[in-house]
Structure formats: structure tokens, C-alpha cells
């Protein structure tokens, strides 16, 4: 029997087959979850619908998380289709190209607001909107990155947004703890996705990660999917407010050195 058998799981942020949300969707399917998928806009429908069919997902809904009415409508539709929800995954982020290439001090007011709205507030708003549907023992999770605690060049306002997202995870976990609803974040190492392509210098960072991380290996969407299964399942039933690193150990090393650099001494 799968670890998520009988659980209704909603996943927000599927764009294409490279999305972290797709790794999570596939892992959830393998473990027997009953799936619902939400995507950002009409433009994505063409890509998302065939993916949803692959995992036999009948509930596929468009939801732009900057719109309160769309969030409310999506929750209404989920209530009608599923009744109750056991797992809610937020795999959404956005910042403008300028914000991810110029120096951080040049961040515009509007760029700052947009990044925070889509990448942080939407997690709070979705949790709030779906709260009436969440079963006791439900698991809510979001995706974050190490640029929240240490400087990752060009990550800029997104690093600040991820810091706020991780803090929101703790506050939400505190609020929902008495209802036995858990809220956690997965901090994934760099993965080549659409969102990542917008970060200046990402290619080099991605290549170097495999040299510098203790496990000398990049992270895949399958790795993240499997960790999401753990957080979604009852195996993690006393874990809440945490940031789980899925990064080949990268964050644990203070002085990053490749094998080649180590040997040259
Ligand atoms: P992705 O496939 O591009 O997913 C990002 C998703 O956010 C897309 O589906 C995107 O839709 C959606 N989104 C943007 N604005 C939205 C809005 N207004 N309403 C609803 N959805 C919206 O990239 P990803 O790398 O898998 O990103 C998923 C999460 O993982 C993000 O939180 C990201 O920061 C995090 N993460 C990524 C990495 C990495 O290296 N890739 C590492 C750690 C954490 P559109 O395409 O239509 O904008």
C-alpha cells in the first residue's frame, strides 16, 4: 500500500514536465494519492492538461494566486470535488528579470511587491482559503531555496522573499498546530526549471553545485518529490515549522571547495 493511499493532495505551481511540482505530482501518484493540480494561467493549459492525464488527475484548475477571487473560487471547486483535503503543496515563485540580474539595491518598489506577493503572500492566502477544507493531520508545504539564509549571487529579492516564506512557514505552523495541521518547507538545491532560468548566472551555479556539495551531485525533481511524500505522509506527523534541506548537503558546508581545489593544496 502506498504512503499516501486515501489522501487528497492539491499541488499548485505545475508549469511543465521540468517543474518541481511535476516531480511531486508523480511521487504522490506512485504513493496512491488522489490528485488535484492547479496552474497559473491559460497559457499553461496546453502543457498542464496532458501531464494531468498521465497521472489520471481529474481536477485541473487555473488559479492566478495574485487574485483573491480566483483563490476563493478554486477552494470552492476543490470543496465540491474532494470534500476534504489532506495535502496542500505551494510550488510557486516569481520575480522580474531585472530583479534577478541587477544589484539587489536597485530592486524597484513594484518588483519587490510582486515578488513578495506571488512568492510569499500567496502561501498565506492559499493556506487561509483552504483551511476550512483541511483534515486534522493535514500537511501543508512550500518550496524554498538556501538564498534565504546566505547570499546567492543574483537571487536578490527572491532570497528576501524566501526568508519571508520560511518565516511564514513557522508562523503558519504555530497557528495551525493546535488543529494538528502541519506546515513545512522543502529547501531544494538548484534544478533546471523555467523559474530557475530567470535567475542570472544560474547555469554556472548549477554546474558548480555538483562539484561543491558533499554528495557531489545535483538534485532532481524526483528527489524533491520523494521528500515531499515524507512530509505529506503520516511518517512525519510530529514535524512542523521546519525547513527540510534536499540539497546533497550543500548548506552544511562553510567553506565550499571542489575535489580539484582540495587536491591542488
Ligand atoms: P516552475 O516550473 O517555473 O514553477 C514555478 C511556478 O510558479 C510556475 O508554475 C509558475 O507559473 C507559477 N506562478 C508564477 N506566478 C504565478 C501566479 N501569479 N499564480 C500562480 N502560479 C504562479 O519552477 P520551479 O523551479 O519548479 O519552482 C517551483 C518552486 O520551487 C518555486 O517556489 C521555486 O522558488 C522553488 N525552488 C526552485 C529551485 C530551482 O532551482 N528550480 C530551488 C529551490 C526552490 P508560470 O510559469 O505561468 O509563471
Amino acid at each position: 500500500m502506498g504512503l499516501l493511499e486515501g489522501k487528497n493532495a492539491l499541488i499548485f505551481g505545475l508549469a511543465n514536465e521540468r517543474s518541481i511540482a511535476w516531480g511531486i505530482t508523480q511521487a504522490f501518484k506512485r504513493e496512491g494519492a488522489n490528485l488535484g493540480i492547479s496552474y497559473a494561467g491559460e497559457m499553461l493549459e496546453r502543457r498542464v492538461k496532458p501531464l494531468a492525464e498521465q497521472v489520471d488527475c481529474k481536477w485541473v484548475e487555473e488559479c492566478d494566486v495574485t487574485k483573491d477571487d480566483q483563490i476563493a473560487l478554486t477552494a470552492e471547486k476543490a470543496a465540491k470535488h474532494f470534500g476534504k483535503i489532506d495535502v496542500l503543496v505551494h510550488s510557486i515563485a516569481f520575480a522580474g528579470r531585472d530583479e534577478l540580474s541587477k544589484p539587489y539595491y536597485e530592486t524597484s518598489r513594484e518588483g519587490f511587491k510582486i515578488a513578495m506577493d506571488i512568492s510569499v503572500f500567496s502561501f498565506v492566502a492559499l493556506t487561509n482559503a483552504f483551511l476550512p477544507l483541511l483534515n486534522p493531520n493535514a500537511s501543508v508545504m512550500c518550496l524554498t531555496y538556501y538564498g534565504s539564509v546566505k547570499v546567492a549571487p543574483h537571487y536578490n529579492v527572491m532570497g528576501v522573499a524566501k526568508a519571508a516564506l520560511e518565516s511564514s512557514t513557522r508562523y503558519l505552523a504555530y497557528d495551525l498546530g493546535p488543529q494538528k495541521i502541519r506546515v513545512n518547507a522543502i529547501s531544494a538545491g538548484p534544478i533546471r526549471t523555467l523559474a530557475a532560468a530567470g535567475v542570472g548566472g544560474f547555469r554556472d551555479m548549477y554546474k558548480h553545485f555538483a562539484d561543491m556539495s558533499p554528495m557531489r551531485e545535483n538534485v532532481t525533481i524526483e528527489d524533491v518529490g520523494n521528500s515531499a511524500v515524507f512530509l505529506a505522509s503520516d511518517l512525519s506527523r510530529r514535524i512542523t515549522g521546519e525547513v527540510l534541506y534536499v540539497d546533497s548537503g550543500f548548506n552544511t558546508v562553510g567553506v565550499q571547495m571542489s575535489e580539484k581545489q582540495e587536491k591542488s593544496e
Side-chain angles (χ1 to χ4, degrees):
M1 195 169 114
L3 285 167
L4 305 181
E5 214 73 54
K7 288 193 191 285
N8 294 333
L10 296 191
I11 298 157
F12 284 78
L14 182 60
N16 57 36
E17 71 289 346
R18 285 173 168 254
S19 295
I20 291 176
W22 181 234
I24 295 174
T25 302
Q26 287 176 301
F28 280 10
K29 172 69 183 172
R30 186 192 70 218
E31 297 298 334
N34 189 21
L35 296 167
I37 291 173
S38 176
Y39 59 97
E42 246 175 86
M43 295 269 289
L44 287 180
E45 192 175 339
R46 199 169 41 88
R47 283 180 184 277
V48 172
K49 288 255 158 100
L51 291 176
E53 273 168 30
Q54 273 186 45
V55 290
D56 198 25
C57 171
K58 304 276 184 286
W59 192 89
V60 189
E61 292 296 337
E62 181 182 334
C63 179
D64 177 348
V65 295
T66 61
K67 309 271 187 334
D68 286 335
D69 55 341
Q70 288 197 25
I71 293 178
L73 187 63
T74 309
E76 239 174 73
K77 287 179 176 172
K80 254 192 213 143
H81 185 87
F82 293 99
K84 290 286 182 177
I85 303 295
D86 302 287
V87 185
L88 188 67
V89 178
H90 175 284
S91 188
I92 292 172
F94 179 81
R97 258 187 193 270
D98 270 2
E99 267 64 39
L100 299 173
S101 52
K102 291 182 177 176
Y104 176 59
Y105 58 77
E106 288 184 23
T107 307
S108 67
R109 190 181 297 276
E110 196 50 27
F112 190 92
K113 274 190 196 162
I114 290 173
M116 295 298 275
D117 186 23
I118 299 181
S119 316
V120 187
F121 179 71
S122 66
F123 186 49
V124 182
L126 282 181
T127 304
N128 190 21
F130 282 84
L131 191 53
L133 309 188
L134 294 180
N135 270 324
N137 295 325
S139 172
V140 177
M141 70 188 89
C142 63
L143 272 299
T144 185
Y145 176 61
Y146 187 49
S148 61
V149 281
K150 299 285 178 192
V151 171
H154 306 296
Y155 204 57
N156 298 350
V157 72
M158 192 49 76
V160 175
K162 291 303 191 191
L165 183 68
E166 290 171 22
S167 185
S168 296
T169 300
R170 290 184 284 273
Y171 278 95
L172 292 170
Y174 182 81
D175 284 350
L176 305 186
Q179 298 173 53
K180 313 297 174 217
I181 295 168
R182 302 181 294 110
V183 187
N184 291 289
I186 293 178
S187 185
I191 300 177
R192 280 188 285 200
T193 63
L194 211 58
V199 182
F202 180 83
R203 267 166 185 263
D204 290 337
M205 209 240 293
Y206 179 83
K207 272 200 223 132
H208 281 111
F209 185 90
D211 293 337
M212 303 294 181
S213 60
M215 297 185 80
R216 315 275 188 228
E217 234 171 357
N218 277 105
V219 171
T220 66
I221 61 170
E222 288 76 24
D223 296 327
V224 180
N226 287 332
S227 303
V229 167
F230 168 67
L231 285 181
S233 79
D234 298 337
L235 291 179
S236 58
R237 63 198 284 254
R238 290 287 174 264
I239 299 177
T240 195
E242 290 293 340
V243 177
L244 176 64
Y245 282 88
V246 182
D247 69 344
S248 301
F250 188 88
N251 78 95
T252 62
V253 182
V255 180
Q256 313 276 358
M257 259 197 200
S258 66
E259 260 170 75
K260 202 169 140 203
Q261 285 169 322
E262 268 184 55
K263 281 182 186 145
S264 73
E265 283 308 302

